[in-house]
Amino acid sequence: MSFLSEAQLRDEFGPFIAFQEAFGFIPNLLQAQTLLPRVIEAQAMLETAVRLREGAISRVQKERILLSIAADQRDTYCMALDSRVLSSLGLSDGQIGDLLNGSRHAGLSAADFASLQFCLKLSRHAPSVCRQDIEALRTCGLGDESIFEAVVVTALAMYRCTLSLGLGPEPDFGPPKLPSTRIDQPLGPTPLGSLPDPHEAAHRKGPYVPAPYLSPKTFAPFAAVQRSRGFIPNFFRAQTLRPDLVEAQLEAMGRILLSEDALTRVQKECILLAVSAANLNSYCVAMHCDLLRGLGMPSEDGDQIAVDHHQSNLSQSDAALLDFAVKLGTGDPEFSRADVVKLQTLGFTPEQVLESVVVTAFNNFANTLSMGLGIEPDFAPPPVFAETKVHLSPAAPSPMQQRQEVVHVSDTLQDADADLVALAQRGQLEAFEALVRRHTQLIYRTLTAILGDPIDAQDAMQDTLLSAFKHISGFQGRARFSTWLVSIARNTAFQRLRTRKNVESLDEGEYGEDRDFRPRQVRAWQDNPEQCHSKSEMRQLVERGLLQLPAKYRVVVMLRDIEQLSADDVARQLGLSVPAVKTRLLRGRLMLREWLSPYVTASYKGAAQ
């Protein structure tokens, strides 16, 4: 039995027939998904296209990759299953044992061994894969088609291992003996075994494997994607070496993501976003942020989920759903039946739990595939995510521990508030009060800039500080404390704005916005304007002028010119790009100068008389 209850499906259920013919039995991993037959159909499509269909690499080579990754992940279910499949394909127990222990005597050619080492690296820590690894494979004699298929098989392995961890099926066969150590043998003279600069992969330019162009006019699946999305994502364009695989993925995606008989589409996209962020996958983070915006979620809410979903506006149950998915998707060794039970106690049905496992597994398939091929994002990921994203070295002792480090890694930026935050998290009220005193003006001006009403800002200040006090124990240091505090202030202000009518959004397009704006009354300011007004009068005028600006310009001018924050800090705190900050700052200054011009010019003329 698995973690979840099972349903009885008819004997003529198509995927069961296909697996019976291919393997001689129906794996328990499929039986564990019978509450939702459509997700079994999705897995069957992927396995048929990736695993069973002959391509540039043989069936035996694919099964070797699947078995090696299962052993490396300590997945006893998949390891037992894949050992049996390899045995049915003619490998001896000795060859399988050599393969499990990473021995060079497993009968592998240099090219096969290089391919296997690459797949293990990709499965252990995908963000560390870079173009250098692909070039090393080519040096060993592998062609682009073989490299592409090795990446896809690795993605399938991660899909299956995630399902196995999340569903806990009983092994179909007795498991073979696990290797005592991970498969870490270096490749020898080729550069593949060496570790790249951990920041090198962050600047990847891909895709690593060239793919032929397919037109939506001649390839029906692309035509359907273009009708629904308006464009063809790079994720699919990078896989056109195997059009049949693209078609299978789109079919599987439809069965897993588009149906709403269990989880909603928004819940699924939140899972995909949170797990992709935990896996440091910029492509998928950018894609799912965009999809959530299309589903009606405010961009700041999606960006917050990418950075830290605990600080988002999700309900308690949906936040727990993401906790479950991230724990599963990052391969936490502590994941168990208790996590499934906990989700059910919060009101999630067995079907919803099952679907959360399958969505997480499909996410890991897509994450592995996109990073293995070096696919460039179609959209820019949230700036705060890009700022806090850290690529770790893949030399950690185990894949599970690696992923835990990925999830809980601290921001590399020095934070002057770190000591006070630590004390406040231990319950010292004085430390929190010191943090409040330090950042009161920043929060107040941010709220004033967004809300445009000092009285409303004072009320929002109390809500912001109360929320910060309640949630400071969950602050994980992935960004500066001031950034986290400002994000709470922004969310508080946005919530108040939503109750108003005819409010201008802060999240309009970054480039070309307000193209028709032209300053009309900007006159020359001779000498210093403060010669015409006292400092206090000028300050009052500036504050009045700021409140007249549209919110999206007001907040940038306030933080940049009044608070004297750098453009990088403003971008990070507002979730904008630096170019967008500079554009809004210039227009905001021009608008403010135009508003002030009549007062200053008139005063100057009066003084001259």
Side-chain angles (χ1 to χ4, degrees), residues 291-498:
L291 286 170
L292 280 169
R293 284 193 293 270
L295 292 171
M297 177 177 286
S299 59
E300 66 271 11
D301 289 356
D303 293 355
Q304 184 61 60
I305 291 172
V307 177
D308 183 357
H309 68 269
H310 296 104
Q311 304 303 326
S312 67
N313 291 325
L314 295 174
S315 65
Q316 182 180 0
S317 60
D318 281 346
L321 179 67
L322 296 195
D323 286 339
F324 174 89
V326 168
K327 188 174 184 179
L328 172 62
T330 55
D332 192 319
E334 300 299 321
F335 187 92
S336 67
R337 183 188 295 272
D339 294 289
V340 173
V341 173
K342 179 180 178 181
L343 212 54
Q344 290 179 302
T345 60
L346 291 173
F348 288 95
T349 66
E351 289 82 4
Q352 289 174 322
V353 177
L354 170 60
E355 188 158 54
S356 69
V357 172
V358 175
V359 170
T360 303
F362 189 78
N363 176 84
N364 281 358
F365 175 90
N367 282 183
T368 305
L369 189 54
S370 63
M371 288 192 277
L373 295 177
I375 302 175
E376 289 292 301
D378 302 282
F379 315 97
V384 178
F385 171 77
E387 180 70 27
T388 59
K389 176 180 171 184
V390 177
H391 291 289
L392 301 177
S393 167
S398 75
M400 305 304 184
Q401 290 171 347
Q402 284 176 335
R403 294 192 181 95
Q404 281 185 296
E405 291 177 357
V406 171
V407 176
H408 301 295
V409 66
S410 297
D411 188 9
T412 56
L413 298 173
Q414 294 296 320
D415 191 346
D417 296 322
D419 292 339
L420 283 175
V421 170
L423 293 174
Q425 289 178 322
R426 290 198 290 268
Q428 293 192 18
L429 185 59
E430 296 82 0
F432 183 78
E433 291 173 346
L435 289 169
V436 169
R437 288 193 297 272
R438 181 177 293 182
H439 298 295
T440 293
Q441 287 300 313
L442 173 62
I443 300 171
Y444 176 72
R445 292 187 182 278
T446 300
L447 291 168
T448 302
I450 296 174
L451 295 170
D453 182 354
I455 296 177
D456 205 4
Q458 291 176 4
D459 293 338
M461 169 78 82
Q462 301 302 317
D463 294 340
T464 298
L465 296 179
L466 179 59
S467 179
F469 182 74
K470 288 180 178 179
H471 296 101
I472 193 169
S473 61
F475 175 68
Q476 298 179 1
R478 295 178 184 171
R480 289 191 178 97
F481 178 76
S482 60
T483 302
W484 179 74
L485 208 52
V486 167
S487 72
I488 296 177
R490 288 179 62 219
N491 290 337
T492 302
F494 291 150
Q495 188 62 41
R496 286 176 174 262
L497 284 177
R498 292 187 191 103

Side-chain angles (χ1 to χ4, degrees), residues 67 83-84 86-87 91-101 176:
L67 175 60
S83 294
R84 177 59 65 95
L86 273 172
S87 179
L91 267 68
S92 67
D93 291 344
Q95 288 174 309
I96 294 173
D98 286 342
L99 198 62
L100 287 171
N101 286 282

